[in-house]
Amino acid sequence: MGDGIRAALADLPFAFAVNPQPERGLASSFRVAAAHLPPVWAARPSRWPTCRW
């Protein structure tokens, strides 16, 4: 991730989750991201936002 992108998002309620093994594919990135969700989101899928296209 570039320093400019990190600086642009610094004031937002946003956190970066770094995948230490990106060569393992998208599933490993998803696992890292899911592991960094707040407990209420991880434990209660009913609270996940829905996509309304």
Side-chain angles (χ1 to χ4, degrees):
M1 187 66 51
D3 291 335
I5 293 173
R6 287 184 183 270
L9 299 173
D11 294 333
L12 298 174
F14 183 84
F16 288 96
V18 178
N19 182 358
Q21 298 176 322
E23 68 279 355
R24 295 191 70 190
L26 186 59
S28 67
S29 295
F30 180 77
R31 281 192 294 274
V32 170
H36 285 81
L37 287 173
V40 106
W41 285 78
R44 301 182 93 183
S46 62
R47 292 189 178 208
W48 293 358
T50 57
C51 181
R52 291 184 169 84
W53 296 89

